[in-house]
Amino acid sequence: MRTAELTRRGFLAGAGTLAVSFAFAPTANAAPGRGIQIDDTTLAWLLLDRHGISIHSGKVELGTGVQTALTQIVLEELRLTNAEVRYAQGDTRLTPDQGTTAGSKTIQNGGPQLRRAAATAFHALLGLAAQHFGVPATQLVARDGSFSAPGNGRPITYTQLLARSDIVLAADPDAPLAAAGDYRLVGQSVDRVDLPEKVTARFTYLQDVRLAGMLHGRVIRPNGRNARFVSITPESLTKAQAIPGFVDVVQQGNFVGVVAMTEWAAIQAAAPATGIVVVWEDGQPLVAQDTFDQALRDPAHHYRTVTEVSVGDVDAALSSAAVTTQASYQTPFHMHAAMGPSCSIADVRATPDRKTGVQVTVWSGSQGVYALRNTLAALLGLTPAAVHVIYEEAAGCYGHNGADDVAADAALLSRAAGKPVRVQWSRQNEHGWEPLGPAMAHDLRGGVTDGGIVAWEHNLYTPTHGSRPNGSPGTVLAGLLTGALPASLPTSAGNSGGRNAPVTYAFPNNRLVARLVRSFETVGTTNQPEAPLRYRFPRTTALRSLGGFSNTFANESFVDELAVAGGVDPLELRLRSLDDPRALAVMEALRDVWTTRPTVEGVGAGLAFARYETEFTYVAVYAEVSVAAATGVVRVRRVVVAHDCGLVINPDGLRNQIEGCVIQGISRTLKEEVQLDARGVTSVVWSSYPVLRFSEVPTIETILIDRPEEPAWGAGEPAINPMPAAIANAVYAATGARIRTLPMTPARVLAALAELTP
């Protein structure tokens, strides 16, 4: 497969084209005799013309290989194994609004849409071929871009058929799909189409984009989350104005930034030592980090309590259980910690373009260009149609990092400067101000009778995991600093802080209660933000797997604790508690490695299981660790993942995603913890926010359970969830010490080991 750039103009000017939109119903502009016409607002097309195939995708390539996998799906339905494929992605004037590229949902949700579009195109071509040969379509054979009718002349190619007409169709939800048994491309480890340019340093990342006449901007952040702007010292302004290339300083509320001719000049102007000095007034202090465990559980910080699961009579079951136990778990604030700090370019014009109506063009690494477009429009007081957001690939994000915030920074600075402005966050900007994955706490109780779990109760405490741009200026940092309020807090834990809090196990008595923690002051006891905005905890949002990481750590650690309490093998207890054949299959896939696990002193193995969002991909993890008793250092030596995400599109790409989950899961389990003081994040460099190094990556083995007849589910997040519990259970097996708070730093491990000493 090969890819190339696509232009809409090229299509409109061309002849001999087949276009399929994602609209699943005829539009009002249907043109008799020309198939079903798509209207101008339906931008999602699959195009076939004499130059090849063009895919317009609202789902964007974040470095996870989805461009390759989506292309495989399209080619399979077109009965092709190789073709010129042009791929356009994440452009609010060119591609469809398929929502955010997140949550392991690109292949799961975007794949079927493209598959239907490709199937619709194929059957349109098949109809043309049937007319050409004068035979029923059922007598035709399609292979590698041509149709043949056995015993009826020479084959005819797709290109030859397309040369005779233009066809515009809406994707047919009933178009017959290629049978799984006929797959030739889906299920194969096709090479990533995006990698050659990346590994040879020819790829243009967002950070490499340059515009004519472009200026450079830097934002000067407040000295605390709740600080208020007072003034800019006159002498510092004079100093900044003397910097060669300095253009201007921009201040709006608590938003302060500088614009300069060069990036170096902007850096100098934004640094207090060489440029602008801002006087800030301290605001309300954040909750102290060393009290998070108690604070998250403190009713004074809760705005809502929701019973998410209630099955049977948990209290009665606990009272009558042969053995009961209880435990509490905590996880910290985590960063997305992108290796490449966020960047964006905005070009805000004084008036809209006469032809397009576009007044603002933004180049961004956002996961959701449409949501960002609407948010920037609100921030700038424009209509969404006046804003054009173009996706450019940036650093991997693992969720809602600073990509959207930096775009809003650039937009405000460009509007003030009247020219395109590029804003490149520094490492300190990224670590200090990106939205975080929240700390969480869990209290669990359970009972075991006759080797089975008869009672289960999970009380979880969580701030929101969702503050992505949603059309409100208060969902980006620049909007917050200029006085907008954030969105209201969620009314349930749902598939956010509550993700994977419900278990897949068939416990007869099961209760899950979520207590929702307010991140900022709210109006009374409501979920509405109170003005002026004052944070209690840092701004939180979506980080890979949302609450699934912390909830699965608590759930699967506690299953292990119940196994110990009940005297049952951890694998057997899980198998007895599951009634889903696919869940049982991934657990059984680990039986061999589990039964042959090492029994060396200081070495242990642990298991964990989770079904993504409790309804999609099945994952079972075996982790093997060594624990140095003298230093408390935990080293993960081997990980085996059994994975069932249904139909496997690209086995190599799938393994890459699993391995990424494993590595980041180990890192978050053993090392990562945001450090805070009363003002905000203090761990603003890598030395204070360490992550796993390449030298610490263990042997990773994957067992892929391919189910070609089942839907293809996502794999970008599921395997990270069982990681912390598998490691914790392995540490317990190695030492007898149970670690219930992440990260498992040497200090925590040593403290747990010390508690074992009589």
Side-chain angles (χ1 to χ4, degrees), residues 321-400:
V323 180
T324 62
T325 190
Q326 61 185 23
S328 296
Y329 305 87
Q330 288 76 226
T331 53
F333 284 90
H334 280 150
M335 294 181 183
H336 302 78
M339 292 291 174
S342 297
C343 179
S344 183
I345 300 170
D347 184 4
V348 181
R349 305 292 177 91
T351 57
D353 181 86
R354 291 184 178 180
K355 291 184 178 179
T356 65
V358 171
Q359 189 171 347
V360 179
T361 304
V362 175
W363 290 260
S364 170
S366 172
Q367 292 179 275
V369 292
Y370 277 90
L372 177 60
R373 178 197 66 175
N374 297 344
T375 302
L376 294 178
L379 179 69
L380 299 171
L382 301 172
T383 65
V387 180
H388 180 197
V389 178
I390 302 169
Y391 175 78
E392 293 286 350
E393 191 171 342
C397 55
Y398 311 117
H400 176 204

Side-chain angles (χ1 to χ4, degrees), residues 86 134-135 171 259 330 354 371 384 408 414 438 448 455 478 516 521 598 610 616 676 679-680 683 728 734 738-739 758:
R86 292 164 288 181
V135 301
V259 181
Q330 288 76 226
R354 291 184 178 180
S414 176
V448 178
L516 308 184
E521 300 297 337
F616 297 114
L676 298 125
R679 289 175 168 172
S683 48
R738 177 67 64 180
I739 312 296

Side-chain angles (χ1 to χ4, degrees), residues 666-725:
I666 297 171
S667 185
R668 291 172 65 180
T669 300
L670 299 183
K671 294 175 176 286
E672 297 184 35
E673 181 177 22
V674 176
Q675 301 298 322
L676 298 125
D677 64 12
R679 289 175 168 172
V681 176
T682 60
S683 48
V684 295
V685 291
W686 290 116
S687 59
S688 54
Y689 191 83
V691 297
L692 199 73
R693 294 175 179 269
F694 283 117
S695 60
E696 299 169 305
V697 174
T699 299
I700 303 172
E701 303 160 48
T702 54
I703 302 170
L704 304 183
I705 301 176
D706 187 15
R707 298 186 185 276
E709 301 293 343
E710 297 290 343
W713 287 332
E717 293 187 343
I720 197 173
N721 290 335
M723 286 307 304

Side-chain angles (χ1 to χ4, degrees), residues 79-241:
R79 311 315 193 260
L80 296 166
T81 55
N82 194 19
E84 179 78 21
V85 178
R86 292 164 288 181
Y87 191 82
Q89 58 180 333
D91 186 317
T92 58
R93 289 183 51 78
L94 191 63
T95 62
D97 182 0
Q98 292 181 282
T100 304
T101 304
S104 292
K105 296 298 170 61
T106 295
I107 297 300
Q108 181 170 320
N109 295 341
Q113 290 174 307
L114 269 174
R115 192 181 187 196
R116 289 291 178 191
T120 301
F122 173 77
H123 286 280
L125 290 168
L126 184 63
L128 292 175
Q131 291 178 21
H132 168 78
F133 287 108
V135 301
T138 54
Q139 294 183 14
L140 300 178
V141 176
R143 192 172 187 85
D144 293 336
S146 65
F147 291 99
S148 61
N152 197 358
R154 299 176 60 185
I156 186 166
T157 67
Y158 294 179
T159 302
Q160 290 172 317
L161 290 170
L162 289 171
R164 301 173 180 179
S165 60
D166 292 326
I167 305 172
V168 183
L169 301 169
D172 180 0
D174 299 318
L177 302 173
D182 295 333
Y183 286 164
R184 292 189 296 162
L185 198 58
V186 165
Q188 302 301 311
S189 291
V190 173
D191 291 343
R192 286 266 296 271
V193 297
D194 57 319
L195 287 187
E197 289 203 346
K198 290 177 178 175
V199 300
T200 55
R202 292 178 294 166
F203 187 81
T204 301
Y205 287 97
L206 172 60
Q207 284 81 354
D208 302 318
V209 175
R210 297 290 187 274
L211 302 180
M214 183 180 76
L215 303 177
H216 296 264
R218 286 271 166 151
V219 176
I220 302 170
R221 298 297 181 199
N223 67 347
R225 293 281 169 168
N226 296 319
R228 186 181 68 84
F229 173 84
V230 176
S231 64
I232 295 172
T233 64
E235 59 274 18
S236 73
L237 180 59
T238 300
K239 187 191 298 184
Q241 289 170 334

